[in-house]
Amino acid sequence: MGKGRLEAFSDGVLAIIITIMVLELKVPHGDDLGSLTKLLPVFISYVLSFIYIGIYWNNHHHMLHAAQHVNGNIMWANMHLLFWLSLVPFATGWMGENHFTTLPVAMYGMVLFMAGIAYFILARTLVKHHGSNSTLAQAFGTDQKGKWSVYIYAIAIVLAFVNPWISMALYTIVASIWFIPDRRIAKKMV
Amino acid sequence: MGKGRLEAFSDGVLAIIITIMVLELKVPHGDDLGSLTKLLPVFISYVLSFIYIGIYWNNHHHMLHAAQHVNGNIMWANMHLLFWLSLVPFATGWMGENHFTTLPVAMYGMVLFMAGIAYFILARTLVKHHGSNSTLAQAFGTDQKGKWSVYIYAIAIVLAFVNPWISMALYTIVASIWFIPDRRIAKKMV
Amino acid sequence: MGKGRLEAFSDGVLAIIITIMVLELKVPHGDDLGSLTKLLPVFISYVLSFIYIGIYWNNHHHMLHAAQHVNGNIMWANMHLLFWLSLVPFATGWMGENHFTTLPVAMYGMVLFMAGIAYFILARTLVKHHGSNSTLAQAFGTDQKGKWSVYIYAIAIVLAFVNPWISMALYTIVASIWFIPDRRIAKKMV
Amino acid sequence: MGKGRLEAFSDGVLAIIITIMVLELKVPHGDDLGSLTKLLPVFISYVLSFIYIGIYWNNHHHMLHAAQHVNGNIMWANMHLLFWLSLVPFATGWMGENHFTTLPVAMYGMVLFMAGIAYFILARTLVKHHGSNSTLAQAFGTDQKGKWSVYIYAIAIVLAFVNPWISMALYTIVASIWFIPDRRIAKKMV
């Protein structure tokens, strides 16, 4: 089965997710600076989520580039990842609108945590389908970066109840370590 | 006539349908747990519809993969299917917002019922175009699963007036039997 | 210059237009039949516009299938068509919400009129680029159907000030004559 | 690494940006001419932004057509451009709703300014990757048009505090000079 439509559908969903997030930036009625600065928390959470969706698109692109074929399980593992990512605009909007208070920040972490696990499942499903000696399998190896991200999200969710800004710092750190495209696959693919 | 743009357009519409459904999950103003739990019915209906659209995308993908060429009738049969699926976000939102009361649950079944019939018409149109000896025709056979789904939707619509939770159970059962990609075609295609 | 991205971009825009129109069908708060029947005018205008966008996608698909290459002028002629079609959701919503009164119905005709002219310009630009002896040029011929549609839209706009239901009938008639894919090109292409 | 998915994702995002802008044209409740003319400023700003996104899509198309391959840096430079363009609907809506007052007009210029710089960075990153002797590098040359656009945006932002209509005139002038597709690349590519 071809991977073309899986990529096209995922691109479509990710393109829509990244773009409808901006709809949470509601056009203010006033035209003064105050109306604009009031939107700052929503804007900051938009920037963070834009980077996260960008990272997912980038890594998804790399991973499927290394894949040769897909099956039903891979399709559903991919759909599962898209489901959690589809909740990012909601989590982003809730966090931004409430100025980074505990529950919305923990919830944002929860969505990232589930998306991280879904990405891990998708990677495992792909590796299983291609065999443990495939380029894909060797490239993933033990997937340290993926595992650590999920651990850090879990810690960030708990720490949101201490101080949500610690969680925000952790989300930013994870985004930074993923910002660099997945060198493991990139290296193997050249 | 190439099937590429038909697939691309369908992917686009399905990607948008699956993503705009999440807009019904309106960001609550409060940041407490209560604001979140109030969204639970909308969230549950979102999950169900996400799975349904995922199933349709999956089956649509399989069906068109088995097709070699398309014509004007196929295009309109496809557009007809997309029309009913485009009503899923509305039906989902109405059902979720009213906490699964009779009429919205029956209405949701109605949209599924019409989408099921539209899928059946699309399948027949494709089979007709490819001939009754084609791989596609043999793969579909008598399309028992498709027929049963439509019957169950019809029963679910009626039973919503007895107890909408029976209908919800039926929608979940149909989703489960479709969750497994269409083995008939998959088997023939290998 | 390749026509692939022009088709992909147009597919994307048309897929979004056709899907965001459904957002005008706002989820009602009540769960009774009355809340649903109140949406009927919006639903009817949605069905009409869905068919119109479907027709445009279908004809656009045929036309570009017959084209071999595109240039800057064609790109802008295409963008011009997409601009007018992007106003269809607005015109649809305004007409439906006001239950088919004069000005919204005339406005809807105006958008169709401009889209019709834009389609005509795109067709001419394509023919000019491919030469008057090309398959495309011969297939279009004098484009009677396109011209008549535009004339009827113009008449419908004027008659909306007499009785908007005459205009609605005319819009339905034009949709019917276009429903059949452009046989002229289809015939030549086989 | 293939450029196909980069183009597809960018097409998706640009198609969504150009289409969701029209959602700022909110369907008025009245059906008289007054309700329509009140929307005129929002409509004008929509037209301007539609042309700008059209220009970006057009130039993006040309630039990537001349590119042979992409890498991680190019992907992120592209994502950076899409980020600023994703703010165009917000800036457009704010400017239109406030009838072209100072701050919204300056803000609109700011988004164009940042998008212009992001486009410049993307062009530089592509040229760097393809080598200074590549067709791409020679085609871009010193990129006078790109540089001048950014300078004019900067001037327009400042002049918005004198008279926002001067800025609007400048935005229109820049749109006009870009309307013509990038002849430098087009010429080299033939």
Side-chain angles (χ1 to χ4, degrees):
Chain A
M1 196 189 301
K3 64 177 180 176
R5 262 190 91 179
L6 189 78
E7 289 183 320
F9 184 72
S10 307
D11 278 353
V13 171
L14 291 175
I16 300 158
I17 289 172
I18 220 169
T19 324
I20 63 169
M21 277 195 305
V22 89
L23 294 176
E24 284 302 324
L25 265 180
K26 303 230 172 66
V27 172
H29 288 294
D31 67 346
D32 54 314
L33 201 62
S35 336
L36 209 61
T37 49
K38 245 187 281 175
L39 288 174
L40 207 64
V42 180
F43 182 71
I44 290 168
S45 61
Y46 174 60
V47 172
L48 184 64
S49 294
F50 193 97
I51 292 170
Y52 262 112
I53 300 291
I55 288 166
Y56 268 105
W57 178 75
N58 223 333
N59 287 323
H60 191 268
H61 180 286
H62 276 85
M63 189 158 66
L64 277 163
H65 192 80
Q68 264 108 47
H69 30 82
V70 298
N71 63 6
N73 289 340
I74 291 167
M75 278 191 172
W76 280 108
N78 190 59
M79 204 64 95
H80 179 232
L81 172 62
L82 294 180
F83 173 77
W84 291 109
L85 292 179
S86 81
L87 294 177
V88 168
F90 171 81
T92 306
W94 200 38
M95 188 169 77
E97 201 152 294
N98 288 290
H99 297 200
F100 309 100
T101 49
T102 295
L103 209 64
V105 168
M107 172 72 182
Y108 187 80
M110 197 64 204
V111 169
L112 290 181
F113 177 81
M114 292 309 293
I117 285 179
Y119 188 80
F120 188 81
I121 293 172
L122 175 58
R124 288 298 123 190
T125 314
L126 274 163
V127 164
K128 202 181 154 195
H129 187 57
H130 286 78
S132 57
N133 293 318
S134 63
T135 319
L136 199 86
Q138 287 168 24
F140 269 102
T142 51
D143 196 18
Q144 291 305 324
K145 205 157 71 166
K147 281 178 191 162
W148 274 106
S149 304
V150 171
Y151 297 153
I152 297 175
Y153 295 145
I155 294 166
I157 294 165
V158 175
L159 291 182
F161 293 89
V162 180
N163 184 339
W165 291 105
I166 304 174
S167 315
M168 290 307 291
L170 290 173
Y171 301 153
T172 312
I173 289 166
V174 174
S176 312
I177 63 173
W178 277 103
F179 193 76
I180 303 124
D182 207 319
R183 296 285 172 204
R184 285 163 306 168
I185 300 182
K187 238 187 300 174
K188 296 275 176 182
M189 273 166 57
V190 181
Chain B
M1 196 190 300
K3 63 178 180 175
R5 262 190 92 178
L6 188 78
E7 290 183 320
F9 184 72
S10 307
D11 279 353
V13 171
L14 291 174
I16 298 158
I17 289 172
I18 219 168
T19 324
I20 64 170
M21 276 196 305
V22 89
L23 294 177
E24 284 303 323
L25 265 180
K26 302 229 173 66
V27 172
H29 287 295
D31 67 347
D32 54 313
L33 202 62
S35 334
L36 210 60
T37 50
K38 244 186 282 174
L39 287 175
L40 208 64
V42 180
F43 182 71
I44 290 168
S45 61
Y46 173 60
V47 172
L48 184 64
S49 294
F50 192 97
I51 292 170
Y52 263 112
I53 299 291
I55 288 166
Y56 270 105
W57 179 75
N58 223 333
N59 287 324
H60 190 269
H61 180 285
H62 277 86
M63 190 159 65
L64 277 163
H65 192 81
Q68 264 107 47
H69 31 82
V70 298
N71 63 7
N73 289 340
I74 292 167
M75 278 190 173
W76 280 108
N78 189 59
M79 204 63 95
H80 179 233
L81 173 62
L82 294 180
F83 174 76
W84 291 108
L85 293 179
S86 81
L87 294 177
V88 168
F90 171 81
T92 306
W94 201 38
M95 189 170 76
E97 201 152 298
N98 289 290
H99 298 202
F100 310 99
T101 48
T102 296
L103 208 65
V105 168
M107 171 73 183
Y108 187 80
M110 197 65 203
V111 170
L112 290 181
F113 178 81
M114 293 308 293
I117 285 179
Y119 188 80
F120 188 80
I121 293 172
L122 176 57
R124 288 298 124 192
T125 314
L126 274 163
V127 164
K128 202 181 154 195
H129 187 57
H130 286 78
S132 56
N133 293 319
S134 63
T135 320
L136 199 85
Q138 288 168 23
F140 269 102
T142 50
D143 196 16
Q144 291 306 322
K145 205 156 71 167
K147 281 177 190 161
W148 274 105
S149 305
V150 170
Y151 297 152
I152 298 175
Y153 295 145
I155 294 166
I157 293 166
V158 175
L159 291 182
F161 293 89
V162 180
N163 184 339
W165 290 106
I166 304 175
S167 315
M168 289 307 292
L170 290 173
Y171 301 152
T172 311
I173 289 166
V174 175
S176 311
I177 62 172
W178 276 103
F179 192 76
I180 303 125
D182 207 319
R183 296 286 171 204
R184 284 163 307 168
I185 299 182
K187 237 187 299 174
K188 296 274 177 183
M189 273 167 57
V190 181
Chain C
M1 197 189 299
K3 64 178 179 173
R5 263 191 91 178
L6 188 79
E7 289 183 321
F9 184 72
S10 307
D11 278 353
V13 171
L14 292 174
I16 299 158
I17 288 172
I18 218 168
T19 324
I20 64 170
M21 275 195 306
V22 89
L23 294 177
E24 284 302 323
L25 266 180
K26 302 231 173 66
V27 172
H29 287 295
D31 66 347
D32 53 315
L33 201 62
S35 333
L36 210 60
T37 49
K38 244 185 283 173
L39 287 175
L40 207 64
V42 179
F43 181 71
I44 290 168
S45 60
Y46 174 61
V47 172
L48 184 65
S49 293
F50 192 97
I51 292 170
Y52 262 112
I53 300 290
I55 288 165
Y56 269 105
W57 178 74
N58 223 333
N59 287 324
H60 190 269
H61 179 285
H62 277 84
M63 189 159 66
L64 276 163
H65 192 80
Q68 266 108 43
H69 30 83
V70 297
N71 64 6
N73 289 341
I74 292 166
M75 279 191 173
W76 279 109
N78 189 58
M79 204 62 96
H80 180 233
L81 172 62
L82 295 180
F83 173 76
W84 291 107
L85 293 178
S86 81
L87 294 177
V88 168
F90 170 81
T92 306
W94 200 39
M95 189 169 77
E97 200 152 298
N98 289 290
H99 298 202
F100 309 99
T101 48
T102 295
L103 208 64
V105 167
M107 171 73 183
Y108 187 80
M110 197 64 204
V111 169
L112 290 181
F113 178 81
M114 293 308 293
I117 285 179
Y119 188 80
F120 188 81
I121 293 172
L122 175 57
R124 288 297 123 193
T125 314
L126 274 163
V127 164
K128 203 182 154 195
H129 187 57
H130 286 78
S132 56
N133 293 319
S134 63
T135 320
L136 199 85
Q138 288 168 23
F140 269 103
T142 51
D143 195 18
Q144 292 306 324
K145 204 156 72 165
K147 280 178 191 162
W148 274 104
S149 305
V150 170
Y151 297 152
I152 298 175
Y153 295 145
I155 294 165
I157 293 166
V158 175
L159 291 181
F161 293 90
V162 180
N163 184 338
W165 291 106
I166 304 174
S167 315
M168 289 307 291
L170 290 174
Y171 300 151
T172 312
I173 289 166
V174 175
S176 312
I177 61 172
W178 278 103
F179 192 76
I180 302 125
D182 208 319
R183 297 285 172 205
R184 284 164 306 169
I185 299 183
K187 238 186 300 175
K188 297 275 179 184
M189 273 166 56
V190 182
Chain D
M1 196 190 299
K3 64 178 179 174
R5 263 192 90 179
L6 188 79
E7 289 183 321
F9 184 72
S10 306
D11 278 354
V13 171
L14 291 175
I16 300 159
I17 288 172
I18 219 168
T19 323
I20 63 170
M21 275 195 307
V22 89
L23 294 176
E24 284 303 324
L25 264 179
K26 302 231 171 67
V27 172
H29 288 295
D31 67 347
D32 53 315
L33 201 63
S35 334
L36 209 61
T37 48
K38 244 187 280 173
L39 287 174
L40 207 65
V42 180
F43 181 71
I44 291 168
S45 60
Y46 174 60
V47 173
L48 183 64
S49 294
F50 192 97
I51 292 170
Y52 262 112
I53 300 290
I55 288 166
Y56 268 106
W57 178 75
N58 223 334
N59 287 324
H60 190 269
H61 180 285
H62 277 84
M63 188 159 66
L64 277 162
H65 192 80
Q68 266 108 44
H69 31 81
V70 298
N71 64 5
N73 288 341
I74 292 167
M75 279 192 172
W76 279 109
N78 190 58
M79 203 62 96
H80 180 232
L81 172 62
L82 294 179
F83 174 77
W84 291 108
L85 293 178
S86 81
L87 295 177
V88 168
F90 171 81
T92 306
W94 200 38
M95 188 169 77
E97 201 151 296
N98 289 290
H99 298 201
F100 309 99
T101 48
T102 295
L103 208 63
V105 168
M107 171 72 183
Y108 187 79
M110 197 64 205
V111 169
L112 290 181
F113 178 80
M114 292 309 292
I117 285 179
Y119 189 80
F120 188 81
I121 293 172
L122 175 57
R124 287 299 122 192
T125 314
L126 274 163
V127 165
K128 202 182 154 195
H129 186 57
H130 286 78
S132 56
N133 293 318
S134 63
T135 320
L136 199 86
Q138 288 168 22
F140 269 102
T142 51
D143 195 18
Q144 291 305 324
K145 205 157 70 167
K147 280 179 191 161
W148 273 105
S149 305
V150 171
Y151 297 152
I152 298 175
Y153 295 145
I155 293 165
I157 294 166
V158 175
L159 292 182
F161 293 90
V162 179
N163 184 340
W165 290 105
I166 304 174
S167 315
M168 289 308 291
L170 289 174
Y171 301 153
T172 311
I173 289 166
V174 174
S176 312
I177 61 173
W178 277 104
F179 193 75
I180 302 124
D182 208 318
R183 297 284 172 205
R184 284 164 306 169
I185 299 183
K187 238 186 300 174
K188 296 277 178 182
M189 272 166 56
V190 182

